[in-house]
Every structure is written in C-alpha cells, then in structure tokens.
Amino acid sequence: MLNFRLRVFYSVATFSSFTKAAEEMFITQPAVTKNIKELESELGIRLFNRISNKITLTEAGKLLLHYTEHVLTLDKKFMFDLGVLKQKFSGDLKLGASTTIGQYVLPPILAKFKMEQPEMELSLLNDNTQRIETALIEKILDLGIVEGNSKNSQLKYIPFIKDEIVAIAHSSQPLFEKDEITLNEFKEIPLVLRELGSGSLEVITEKLRQKDVKLKDLNVVMHLGSTESIKTFLANSNSIGLISINAVSKEIANGEFKIIDIADFEIVRNFYFIHLHGVPSGFTEMFIQYALSYYNQKL
C-alpha cells in the first residue's frame, strides 16, 4: 500500500532512468516526470540531479531512497501476512531467470502459480546469469533463478533442480550418425556454444578444465546468444552444440536432434534460487517452496 509517488520515485532511483521507470511501471514517461515533480514540490527539495542524459540522486534523494526501501520491505511483509489471514495473496514479485530456465523450466510453474494465486502480480526478466545477479544486487529483482558455478558473496544460493548439458546434432547433418565420440574427437568437431557471460558456458568451461581442456583447445565455430539460435544453427551446419537437456527434450523425442555421448565426460549442474543475504520476503519464500514442490511432484 506504498504511496504511488514513492513507487515511481523508487523505480526512477533504482534504474537511474525516467524511461526505464515508465516501462517498469507501465505508465508514460510524462507521467513519471509529473509524479517526481509533485513529490519534490510536496517535500520542498530536489530529489534528482539532471545533467545531460544522466540522472543521479541528490542527498535528499539518497535519504528518501533509504527510507523508501524500509517502507517497501514493511509493505511486502504486511501484504503477505494479510494474505495468510485471508488465505488469498495479493502483491508483486519480480523474478529474474537465466535464459534456459526462463524459457524452458519456469513457464509451467508460473502458469500454475498464477492460476492458484490470480491476484499476485508476477514479472520475469530473462537474461544471462551475470546480469540477473547484478539486477538482484541493484534491488531491481526480488528473486533470481540461475545456472552456473560462480558464487557472488552478496547473494545467497539455494539449490533448485539438477540439469545436464548434452552434445547434440541435427538429423539433417552427417554427425547425426554418430552415437559416441571420444574427448579427443570432440576437440576437433565444429562446436557451437552460448555467449560469454552465460551460466551454461561457465559450467562447460569448468567441466572441461577438470579434464585439462581449455576452450581454445576446441574447434568453436560460433558463440550464440540463445539456445534457440544454437538449434537453428545446427539445423544448417554439420556441427554439434552443447545445450541443456531441458531445452531440447521434445526435439530429441521426435527425432529432430540426437544426443552424442562423449566418452568419460558429462556436464551435470545445479540450477539455483538466488536472493540478497538476509531473510527473504514472504512472497519470495512462498514462490521458492512452490517451485520446489512442483518439481518434487514431477519426479
């Protein structure tokens, strides 16, 4: 039940942008400007420095942001506790997920959660692991779900589910005829990988390092920014790609792609829930437990 002007202020302060705040709040940029001017008029002091295209907080703005963060925390706690009493929840939860998870793992969970809690406002930012971690630290998100082995000391990591990264080839290409290759053969075959900064590439690099193999030892022909682009590339190239089994299970089942085993080499990883250290909000904890329960029921 936080004052709307304070919500607008918090969004501008968080993003350091009137444009991004307008997008995040689904209002026009002139409406953002109007609310900030009215808040500054009400308080009798400027909250932002506007120099060229850059926006920074004044000392008064920094002070207001500090108190607004506390009020937001109390507001979320009140809405959750009220939901417990009513046995019906209303509030907002800003989620972020790395690409594979956001595209292939979370959608069925989000759909079922929304059906059971129709008054909850959910949003999902889909980006690579590195950027999701940054958005959490900047308090743009409440909860992240990511892949990768890195651990940021500012964040708490809670294991979610296990995933396997597999080598695949497309049915239209000669490599589809292979069932298994050695690690030495793998080094020579044209290979397509995710972009730098992705959790998938980070995990692959670490698993290779454990076998004394570096990325530069491989025949990497392309780094691509999404799993779907890798699959499309493989349909037009006699190459193999390394992607999550969750992202290609349907295509494997219908024969479009095939897993090529690499002898004595597997890439198994955890997906993690991540949030800032400290006790998460009731809504955050509720979603974590819901997602864990969803996958436990499936197993």
Side-chain angles (χ1 to χ4, degrees), residues 160-206:
F160 177 22
I161 57 173
K162 288 191 180 297
D163 177 55
E164 184 178 4
I165 295 175
V166 294
I168 60 166
H170 193 267
S171 59
S172 64
Q173 304 300 325
L175 279 167
F176 189 81
E177 300 303 317
K178 291 186 176 291
D179 293 317
E180 184 178 85
I181 56 177
T182 66
L183 193 54
N184 283 331
E185 288 176 314
F186 172 69
K187 292 179 188 178
E188 302 301 322
I189 294 173
L191 178 65
V192 190
L193 297 172
R194 285 289 306 278
E195 83 285 3
L196 296 174
S198 77
S200 296
L201 184 61
E202 180 185 306
V203 171
I204 291 165
T205 303
E206 173 58 23

Side-chain angles (χ1 to χ4, degrees), residues 21-211:
E23 292 172 356
E24 198 252 350
M25 298 199 68
F26 301 103
I27 59 177
T28 64
Q29 190 169 329
V32 171
T33 302
K34 178 175 180 290
N35 275 277
I36 294 300
K37 285 183 176 178
E38 288 175 351
L39 184 58
E40 288 178 328
S41 176
E42 180 183 342
L43 297 175
I45 194 166
R46 291 179 68 86
L47 300 171
F48 294 97
N49 294 310
R50 302 166 181 84
I51 304 172
S52 297
N53 292 325
K54 292 186 177 181
I55 298 170
T56 59
L57 287 165
T58 63
E59 288 304 311
K62 291 176 184 176
L63 182 64
L64 181 60
L65 178 60
H66 173 74
Y67 282 98
T68 301
E69 287 175 339
H70 285 291
V71 174
L72 273 171
T73 300
L74 287 172
D75 184 64
K76 280 183 177 289
K77 187 176 187 309
F78 168 72
M79 294 303 294
F80 179 78
D81 290 345
L82 185 63
V84 172
L85 289 174
K86 294 166 62 178
Q87 295 190 335
K88 184 170 67 174
F89 294 92
S90 62
D92 65 277
L93 185 62
K94 294 180 174 63
L95 304 168
S98 51
T99 312
T100 298
I101 298 168
Q103 287 184 321
Y104 306 105
V105 177
L106 275 186
I109 301 174
L110 293 173
K112 191 174 180 187
F113 184 85
K114 184 65 177 176
M115 284 179 62
E116 294 184 17
Q117 303 294 343
E119 294 186 25
M120 284 290 297
E121 293 293 330
L122 302 174
S123 62
L124 176 65
L125 170 67
N126 205 16
D127 215 321
N128 67 36
T129 296
Q130 200 172 67
R131 289 173 183 155
I132 294 301
E133 290 178 338
T134 299
L136 274 167
I137 292 166
E138 292 176 352
K139 298 182 180 179
I140 295 169
L141 300 174
D142 299 307
L143 177 68
I145 306 97
V146 300
E147 54 210 68
N149 285 327
S150 69
K151 296 289 188 295
N152 189 305
S153 61
Q154 294 176 264
L155 300 171
K156 181 175 182 179
Y157 292 74
I158 303 166
F160 177 22
I161 57 173
K162 288 191 180 297
D163 177 55
E164 184 178 4
I165 295 175
V166 294
I168 60 166
H170 193 267
S171 59
S172 64
Q173 304 300 325
L175 279 167
F176 189 81
E177 300 303 317
K178 291 186 176 291
D179 293 317
E180 184 178 85
I181 56 177
T182 66
L183 193 54
N184 283 331
E185 288 176 314
F186 172 69
K187 292 179 188 178
E188 302 301 322
I189 294 173
L191 178 65
V192 190
L193 297 172
R194 285 289 306 278
E195 83 285 3
L196 296 174
S198 77
S200 296
L201 184 61
E202 180 185 306
V203 171
I204 291 165
T205 303
E206 173 58 23
K207 294 293 184 180
L208 287 168
R209 186 194 65 76
Q210 294 172 14
K211 293 288 184 179

Side-chain angles (χ1 to χ4, degrees), residues 200-247:
S200 296
L201 184 61
E202 180 185 306
V203 171
I204 291 165
T205 303
E206 173 58 23
K207 294 293 184 180
L208 287 168
R209 186 194 65 76
Q210 294 172 14
K211 293 288 184 179
D212 295 321
V213 178
K214 298 178 181 177
L215 276 184
K216 67 179 183 179
D217 298 329
L218 307 179
N219 183 15
V220 180
V221 295
M222 188 74 65
H223 286 275
L224 293 171
S226 75
T227 298
E228 290 303 312
S229 60
I230 290 177
K231 288 193 281 189
T232 302
F233 186 95
L234 293 177
N236 296 277
S237 170
N238 190 33
S239 309
I240 62 174
L242 292 178
I243 66 174
S244 165
I245 188 69
N246 282 286

